[in-house]
Amino acid sequence: MSVTEYSREVPSGLTVHAAGHRTNYYDNGEGPPLVLLHGSGPGVSAYSNWHSVTPLLASNFRTIAPDIAGYGLTEFRADGHYDIKLWAAHLLAVLDALEVDRAVLVGNSFGGALAIATAVFAPERVAGLVLLGTPAGEFPMTPGLRSGWYYEPSPENMRAILREFPFDPGIVTDEMVAARYALSARPGAQEAFRRLVPEPSGADGGTVRGAGAGFLAKVAAPTLIVHGREDRVVPLEAGLFAGRHIPGADMHVFGRCGHWVQLERPEAFARQVTLFAGGLG
């Protein structure tokens, strides 16, 4: 099936070629650039992570939300070797193609890990970081993370996975399920996803290893960490770990909030980002 066959559920954006990948991205607003980096999981995309909060940010910033290489409507290459270096190179190539010299990177979960790596590998390109529910340090594999690897595409299974993520599962709408399911059901999509992330290990899923203290200490950019107090996917302790080890980090914890701060608390999240990014000069 072609990308356009999914456009009713997941509208396609603009296209740019970056690091050998035909890349889908959304570009809205004017002003200092914010690059919005989505998380991981079956059927994930920039659209599903960011479309509802983009209007709140695009009134003050140019918001650029790419589908990361191998995800969403961006090309997955069967011969590709996907790791953090490839994803960082792809992100930098997207910025080059769009003539963005420096930007604030706003990363949700896996997108936050990519933002951290980019800030270390190419500090001259990163004006600041906003990290949402980002893995850092080590913590036990959670059911929400584990479920994605074993997911078999169906609307019912997708709804069950998505309800693991927010504090109030009522925010999981039929539209959200349809958008994520449409991408996850493409032929080969789940097999591709399993190549992008490691398989959980052991009966309990093993240990998740995010950026360690030494790597986080290399982040020179000003950083705002936001985390849901009730995040069951990436626990609050991971955010606290990052906050202790990134030299220029401040932190805001959202109560009655799970893994999707930008979806669960969009107005308050947009205010925090606007205050932070607007103050960087």
Side-chain angles (χ1 to χ4, degrees):
M1 294 186 181
S2 68
V3 164
T4 55
E5 291 180 68
Y6 297 91
S7 61
R8 188 170 70 87
E9 305 293 356
V10 185
S12 57
L14 304 170
T15 301
V16 67
H17 288 269
H21 288 74
R22 186 182 65 255
T23 301
N24 183 69
Y25 73 100
Y26 306 88
D27 197 336
N28 296 280
E30 297 181 356
L34 292 181
V35 179
L36 310 178
L37 302 174
H38 62 74
S40 185
V44 75
S45 67
Y47 175 81
S48 64
N49 261 200
W50 302 111
H51 80 279
S52 62
V53 77
T54 292
L56 301 176
L57 296 171
S59 58
N60 293 294
F61 303 97
R62 178 187 180 188
T63 62
I64 301 166
D67 284 335
I68 296 165
Y71 288 92
L73 299 178
T74 288
E75 184 177 11
F76 171 81
R77 298 184 54 155
D79 61 348
H81 177 70
Y82 291 91
D83 59 16
I84 198 67
K85 291 185 178 180
L86 179 280
W87 286 312
H90 174 254
L91 172 58
L92 292 171
V94 170
L95 297 184
D96 289 342
L98 300 182
E99 300 182 341
V100 175
D101 293 328
R102 280 179 98 232
V104 174
L105 306 183
V106 183
N108 178 207
S109 196
F110 159 68
L114 173 56
I116 290 169
T118 306
V120 172
F121 297 153
E124 72 283 359
R125 306 298 297 272
V126 179
L129 297 179
V130 181
L131 307 176
L132 300 77
T134 296
E138 297 185 359
F139 57 91
M141 173 70 69
T142 60
L145 291 176
R146 187 179 185 182
S147 63
W149 208 92
Y150 296 106
Y151 165 77
E152 295 295 339
S154 76
E156 295 76 19
N157 289 343
M158 179 58 74
R159 187 180 300 275
I161 285 178
L162 296 183
R163 287 173 65 87
E164 290 281 338
F165 284 69
F167 171 72
D168 177 6
I171 77 160
V172 177
T173 63
D174 291 344
E175 178 190 23
M176 184 187 299
V177 172
R180 294 280 296 250
Y181 170 68
L183 290 181
S184 76
R186 291 179 298 173
Q190 182 61 9
E191 290 77 9
F193 170 71
R194 288 171 180 158
R195 286 189 53 191
L196 297 173
V197 298
E199 181 179 5
S201 61
D204 61 356
T207 299
V208 177
R209 291 177 174 84
F215 196 75
L216 294 170
K218 297 178 182 179
V219 174
T223 300
L224 173 64
I225 297 168
V226 297
H227 216 106
R229 186 182 64 199
E230 286 81 22
D231 191 337
R232 299 188 303 272
V233 178
V234 175
L236 175 59
E237 287 72 18
L240 295 171
F241 183 90
R244 284 195 296 270
H245 295 290
I246 295 176
D250 292 324
M251 187 170 186
H252 185 93
V253 177
F254 288 84
R256 299 177 63 83
C257 184
H259 191 57
W260 290 332
V261 174
Q262 80 278 24
L263 299 178
E264 299 176 67
R265 301 285 298 278
E267 292 85 4
F269 168 73
R271 286 196 297 271
Q272 289 289 329
V273 173
T274 299
L275 285 170
F276 169 75
L280 295 177

